[in-house]
Amino acid sequence: MKAFLGTGLLGSNFVKAMIKHGDEVQVWNRTAAKAKALQEFGAKAFDDVAEAVKGADTIHVTLKDDDTVNEVLAAACKGFSPGVTIIDHTTTSAKGAIERTAEWKAKGYTYLHAPVFMGPINALESSGNMLVSGDQGVISRVEPELSKMTGKVINFGSEEGKAAGMKLMGNLFLLTLTAGISDTLAFAKGLNIPASDVSALFDSWNPAAMMPTRLKKITEGNFSNPSWELSMARKDAGLMLQAAKENNTKLAVIPAIAAEMDSWIEKGYGNSDWSVIAKDNI
């Protein structure tokens, strides 16, 4: 018997996939209608979270944040079976994941943080990536079940909270990537370049292919043999800022990058590879 707490877009599709695999699933959601909607697929919905976990040997959690997870588990624990395993897929802080692991272990339960790089479709199709770290004995025991839920389980070793940090790091990259795309489209619009032409450019030129080489260059601290000098990159950033100003275009990312470039040029790194702006972060 499994219980699933939190049946939003991601959680509800996890539940549907579990039922499709033959699992019996009890569900709860703060908005009860979302849990009850899963009854037509074979889930059993409860209004009381403590009732929803009764009889379950594994409890999956997909909620909002640290505070919500703590609040819901505190209410649910009245119905916990002895030695139950809690698998939390919520994106939380690393500190929160570490604290919950220790807290629930002290109470005689197993807590494993297993955040995901998965959207609702991935949850339904059991594809995407699930991240884990911590007690390797626990991970070995639950990995067969986790593997049924996702395309790949990525184990980051025995350090508690590392999976949470890796998840946030990945999301940080996605946020900055999207902000960069937004700046690109805004800049193009200001120059009367249609979005279709932007798409055509990236259909032919894939800057993502440069990422492994760029990351290696940065992590190796190899800034003295530039492929693009910082002073020249800053010149281009200046042209972008000037064009944006002339066209009343608001850019979110480039002004901050230009300021960071100026700081490193003032330190005497103008002739270094422009990626030297990451030097203090390695």
Side-chain angles (χ1 to χ4, degrees), residues 168-182 253:
L168 288 175
M169 182 188 70
N171 279 6
L172 182 150
F173 184 82
L174 292 177
L175 291 174
T176 54
L177 174 65
T178 301
I181 292 172
S182 178
V253 177

Side-chain angles (χ1 to χ4, degrees), residues 44 56 70 89 141 144 147 167 204 235:
K44 189 174 181 181
N70 291 336
H89 307 291
R141 177 168 60 81
S147 295
K167 164 65 175 177
S204 300
K235 179 266 296 180

Side-chain angles (χ1 to χ4, degrees), residues 175-195:
L175 291 174
T176 54
L177 174 65
T178 301
I181 292 172
S182 178
D183 268 12
T184 300
L185 291 171
F187 187 77
K189 185 177 181 180
L191 294 177
N192 295 315
I193 297 173

Side-chain angles (χ1 to χ4, degrees), residues 125-144:
E125 297 177 346
S126 302
S127 59
N129 296 282
M130 186 174 291
L131 319 181
V132 291
S133 69
D135 188 320
Q136 295 298 292
V138 170
I139 292 171
S140 294
R141 177 168 60 81
V142 302
E143 190 164 10

Side-chain angles (χ1 to χ4, degrees), residues 57-131:
D57 50 30
T58 305
I59 300 167
H60 291 268
V61 179
T62 305
L63 297 167
K64 180 184 177 183
D65 53 23
D66 287 291
D67 289 342
T68 309
V69 173
N70 291 336
E71 178 188 340
V72 170
L73 290 181
C77 69
K78 301 174 187 135
F80 283 1
S81 298
V84 75
T85 296
I86 305 159
I87 302 177
D88 184 6
H89 307 291
T90 309
T91 299
T92 70
S93 67
K95 179 182 176 184
I98 293 168
E99 290 174 348
R100 277 186 293 279
T101 302
E103 175 189 349
W104 290 107
K105 183 177 182 179
K107 294 178 180 179
Y109 306 109
T110 297
Y111 172 93
L112 177 68
H113 190 228
V116 300
F117 288 120
M118 298 171 67
I121 295 299
N122 297 119
L124 188 61
E125 297 177 346
S126 302
S127 59
N129 296 282
M130 186 174 291
L131 319 181

